Amino acid sequence: KRALTPLPSSPSNGSSRMLSVREMYLFDTGGQYLDGTTDITRTVHWGEPTPLQKEAYTRVLMGNIDLSRLVFPSNTAGGTVESFARRALWDVGLNYGHGTGHGIGNFLSVHEWPVGFQSNNVPLEAGMFTSIEPGYYQDGEFGIRIEDVAVVVEAQTEEEPFLTFELVSLVPYDRNLIDLSLLSPEQIRYLNSYYERIRAHVGPELRRQRLEEEHAWLQESTEP
């Protein structure tokens, strides 16, 4: 048997480099807590994004929103609705080469079978946790992914039972990268409702911990 060389667990002078405000930064975060597991990805740009970067990001966000707000019949397979996350990208000839989401364990595996949006995943049922994570990548230039954690819940419809998703990850998106002219009124209303939830749930906790600078950032980042 061959001994495996462990990957470095921290930055070093040989592998790290200075981040620049002239580039996009994708950070995939997560943790395991006694009451659940998180897997959340955000992409930011601290300077002036190019028109392609801004449009690509916005279309990734549109796909995230379209799948997150989708109402669908119970026992629908994830692979049946997966294309809703890609449609805004497909409209302009863009795509991404990975799955749209995976099951997430409750203080268990971050990638937990058999929930997800692949053709061989099980039908979606209320109570299942999954990620929703469309993206776009240009080799050697930049990468975009927006990943949220969602739970499948019953939808309020006249004909029961129908299902939808409820995001349980409460993290703002980068306003600097959103082209509002591309968003539909429904997508903007969904985004504003999501930001209201973030303010209501996260804001008081930041105040409780006396994190005033972070609270001010949150308020600015979740303005309608």
Side-chain angles (χ1 to χ4, degrees), residues 81-154:
V81 299
E82 193 257 5
S83 60
F84 281 87
R86 299 179 184 266
R87 183 174 59 181
L89 289 164
W90 285 354
D91 282 344
V92 292
L94 303 179
N95 203 6
Y96 54 93
H98 58 73
T100 295
H102 55 79
I104 298 177
N106 179 21
F107 194 45
L108 291 168
S109 299
V110 179
H111 289 208
E112 185 170 270
W113 185 263
V115 180
F117 297 96
Q118 304 287 357
S119 59
N120 56 353
N121 287 131
V122 297
L124 296 166
E125 297 180 12
M128 291 179 171
F129 283 83
T130 182
S131 68
I132 295 177
E133 50 180 301
Y136 175 71
Y137 312 88
Q138 193 169 77
D139 289 348
E141 296 295 329
F142 62 88
I144 300 167
R145 189 163 73 253
I146 300 175
E147 178 182 22
D148 284 302
V149 180
V151 60
V152 182
V153 297
E154 291 189 1

Side-chain angles (χ1 to χ4, degrees), residues 10-213:
S10 59
S12 69
N13 288 336
S15 65
S16 61
R17 69 173 176 84
M18 190 72 70
L19 294 175
S20 166
V21 296
R22 297 183 297 276
E23 62 187 332
M24 302 186 84
Y25 179 46
L26 186 158
F27 53 104
D28 191 339
T29 74
Q32 289 196 303
Y33 308 91
L34 293 178
D35 51 358
T37 299
T38 65
D39 190 9
I40 305 167
T41 302
R42 290 293 184 264
T43 306
V44 300
H45 196 303
W46 294 306
E48 185 66 34
T50 68
L52 174 60
Q53 290 173 336
K54 196 165 185 176
E55 178 174 1
Y57 179 93
T58 304
R59 291 186 178 277
V60 171
L61 177 61
M62 291 163 67
N64 183 294
I65 292 174
D66 287 346
L67 183 53
S68 297
R69 63 186 291 267
L70 184 67
V71 176
F72 52 91
S74 62
N75 292 317
T76 296
T80 303
V81 299
E82 193 257 5
S83 60
F84 281 87
R86 299 179 184 266
R87 183 174 59 181
L89 289 164
W90 285 354
D91 282 344
V92 292
L94 303 179
N95 203 6
Y96 54 93
H98 58 73
T100 295
H102 55 79
I104 298 177
N106 179 21
F107 194 45
L108 291 168
S109 299
V110 179
H111 289 208
E112 185 170 270
W113 185 263
V115 180
F117 297 96
Q118 304 287 357
S119 59
N120 56 353
N121 287 131
V122 297
L124 296 166
E125 297 180 12
M128 291 179 171
F129 283 83
T130 182
S131 68
I132 295 177
E133 50 180 301
Y136 175 71
Y137 312 88
Q138 193 169 77
D139 289 348
E141 296 295 329
F142 62 88
I144 300 167
R145 189 163 73 253
I146 300 175
E147 178 182 22
D148 284 302
V149 180
V151 60
V152 182
V153 297
E154 291 189 1
Q156 301 300 313
T157 56
E158 294 182 5
E159 295 295 329
E160 299 288 352
F162 270 63
L163 302 173
T164 188
F165 297 103
E166 179 181 316
L167 295 192
V168 296
S169 48
L170 301 176
V171 183
Y173 307 115
D174 186 9
R175 304 175 77 90
N176 189 35
L177 281 165
I178 299 175
D179 182 351
L180 279 178
S181 69
L182 295 176
L183 298 182
S184 69
E186 292 80 10
Q187 290 168 336
I188 292 176
R189 280 196 293 270
Y190 177 91
L191 196 57
N192 284 336
S193 176
Y194 177 56
Y195 280 176
E196 288 176 4
R197 287 183 58 217
I198 295 176
R199 283 188 171 192
H201 289 280
V202 183
E205 177 62 21
L206 294 178
R207 278 278 171 85
R208 188 186 69 81
Q209 297 187 32
R210 299 181 180 178
L211 297 171
E212 295 303 327
E213 183 179 350

